Amino acid sequence: MDITNRNKLLQYGREVLELELQEAQKLPARLGDDFIKACELILSTKGKVVVSGIGKSGHIGKKIAASFASTGTPSFFMHPSEALHGDLGMVSENDIVVLISYSGRAKEFSLILPILKEMNIAIIAITGSLSSPLAKAADAILDISIEKEACPMGLAPTSSSTNTLLMGDVLAISIMRAKGFKEEDFARSHPAGSLGAKLLNHVKDVMRTGEQVPSVGHRATVLDAMLELSRTGLGLVAVCDEQQHIAGVFTDGDLRRLLLKEGTLHDPIHQVMSKPGYRLPDGWKAIEALKSFNDHNITAAPVVDVNGRLVGALNIHDLHQAGISLNT
């Protein structure tokens, strides 16, 4: 492709962005009483937010419904055509409906609106026509009108669909903030993501247990501890009394320092172990354990329950394998 055509592509792209941004910049000034009412309706509903739209509005409506659902507001998308063939039965009297149509004259909505009105269901309209049948039937109107589409023929929804998406985000995020929705709440609806791993997993969920936990009795020798170090490969051994309370910790580093000081493998472990030794509570969040490892410059630790008894062991590799990271 020659330089002229390359420059034209850049020009086209920049023109689209400039036009859509110009239209989007008009939205903040349009938020007023109707926006507040729309938010209040959603906040007070005892049911779900049902989002519906057809064509490009439908595609964006699916995203808006997903945004509501993932930020603490139960929601689903209902296709207008399917609604007319049975799916309208999914809407209950406790729900609220968000209908999206730029013209406000989608023929499917002309059949749906009377039924919603008969059910006394509140309607929020996202539309570009404030005099349309949809706007007149709505309890709250969110104005997404534009002067010009970015499409040079003015046919393909571009600026208008961008405004629709932005207005949906404005509504969903404002509701989220009003509800006091937190990171932990978000993680519960995204348990497979990195945020879910960081905020939902506790030490007891990712720690090693049973035979994987390196431990010796407080009457053991250095040799016993060394064999346990070799068996588990964790880099430390918990030294416990008869009730499994940790008296101290013996690490690879302790073993090396002992041998350099001409200690022997037959020395009693209680004489050379680190006291009291660092340990992790099993109720801590996994991300707290990782931060603690970094703060103390260690890579592993035994885990204790609320009574101080040994219940597991954890190292930094276990945390990384579970998807726990200090990075966002």
Side-chain angles (χ1 to χ4, degrees):
M1 184 176 293
D2 61 43
I3 189 66
T4 301
N5 287 328
R6 288 167 62 89
N7 288 337
K8 282 184 178 179
L9 289 175
L10 282 176
Q11 177 187 345
Y12 297 157
R14 287 168 179 161
E15 287 176 355
V16 170
L17 288 173
E18 287 170 0
L19 279 169
E20 295 199 11
L21 287 170
Q22 285 173 9
E23 295 294 348
Q25 286 175 350
K26 301 171 186 175
L27 291 179
R30 296 179 188 163
L31 299 184
D33 291 341
D34 271 61
F35 174 72
I36 294 172
K37 186 173 183 180
C39 291
E40 290 175 340
L41 286 170
I42 295 174
L43 287 167
S44 63
T45 186
K46 297 178 181 178
K48 293 180 172 61
V49 175
V50 183
V51 183
S52 188
I54 200 161
K56 303 298 186 298
S57 295
H59 294 309
I60 294 172
K62 292 177 183 178
K63 191 274 180 188
I64 294 173
S67 294
F68 273 125
S70 68
T71 54
T73 301
S75 178
F76 66 89
F77 176 80
M78 178 181 67
H79 194 284
S81 295
E82 298 298 331
L84 295 173
H85 294 277
D87 281 5
L88 200 55
M90 296 188 295
V91 182
S92 73
E93 60 183 10
N94 291 322
D95 294 335
I96 186 168
V97 176
V98 177
L99 299 181
I100 308 170
S101 170
Y102 185 79
S103 68
R105 292 175 171 80
K107 61 180 181 180
E108 292 83 0
F109 286 170
S110 66
L111 299 174
I112 293 173
L113 283 169
I115 300 172
L116 296 179
K117 283 296 185 181
E118 184 179 345
M119 295 173 67
N120 200 30
I121 291 175
I123 299 167
I124 297 172
I126 299 180
T127 183
S129 176
L130 303 186
S131 61
S132 65
L134 173 58
K136 291 177 180 179
D139 296 278
I141 306 166
L142 302 180
D143 182 7
I144 55 166
S145 60
I146 60 165
E147 293 182 10
K148 186 176 183 180
E149 296 282 12
C151 169
M153 296 178 289
L155 300 175
T158 45
S159 301
S160 58
S161 58
T162 298
N163 275 13
T164 305
L165 179 63
L166 290 173
M167 191 63 78
D169 285 344
V170 168
L171 198 56
I173 300 305
S174 297
I175 296 297
M176 178 191 79
R177 295 180 66 180
K179 287 184 173 182
F181 194 79
K182 299 181 177 61
E183 279 188 338
E184 289 80 0
D185 302 311
F186 189 87
R188 290 187 183 94
S189 58
H190 299 75
S194 59
L195 183 61
K198 287 171 63 174
L199 297 179
L200 297 182
N201 281 320
H202 290 74
V203 169
K204 60 186 175 184
D205 299 320
V206 296
M207 69 184 185
R208 305 182 188 198
T209 58
E211 291 297 316
Q212 294 180 307
V213 181
S215 67
V216 295
H218 66 288
R219 293 188 178 89
T221 65
V222 173
L223 177 60
D224 297 323
M226 185 185 73
L227 293 175
E228 191 71 351
L229 282 170
S230 299
R231 183 184 71 82
T232 59
L234 192 67
L236 64 81
V237 176
V239 183
C240 301
D241 61 19
E242 288 81 359
Q243 288 76 42
Q244 286 298 95
H245 291 107
I246 299 177
V249 173
F250 189 74
T251 67
D252 285 334
D254 292 328
L255 176 61
R256 288 192 297 271
R257 285 186 289 272
L258 174 70
L259 296 177
L260 287 172
K261 294 178 180 177
E262 299 184 354
T264 74
L265 297 179
H266 300 291
D267 289 344
I269 194 66
H270 68 84
Q271 292 182 358
V272 296
M273 67 184 181
S274 298
K275 303 176 186 178
Y278 186 75
R279 70 284 308 273
L280 291 169
D282 65 349
W284 270 17
K285 289 182 179 178
I287 189 65
E288 291 178 300
L290 182 56
K291 290 177 181 176
S292 184
F293 279 170
N294 284 354
D295 291 343
H296 291 85
N297 196 28
I298 57 176
T299 59
V303 179
V304 296
D305 62 14
V306 292
N307 297 312
R309 288 191 291 264
L310 178 69
V311 292
L314 185 70
N315 75 1
I316 199 166
H317 301 297
D318 299 327
L319 292 168
H320 290 161
Q321 287 178 0
I324 312 300
S325 169
L326 294 178
N327 298 322
T328 302

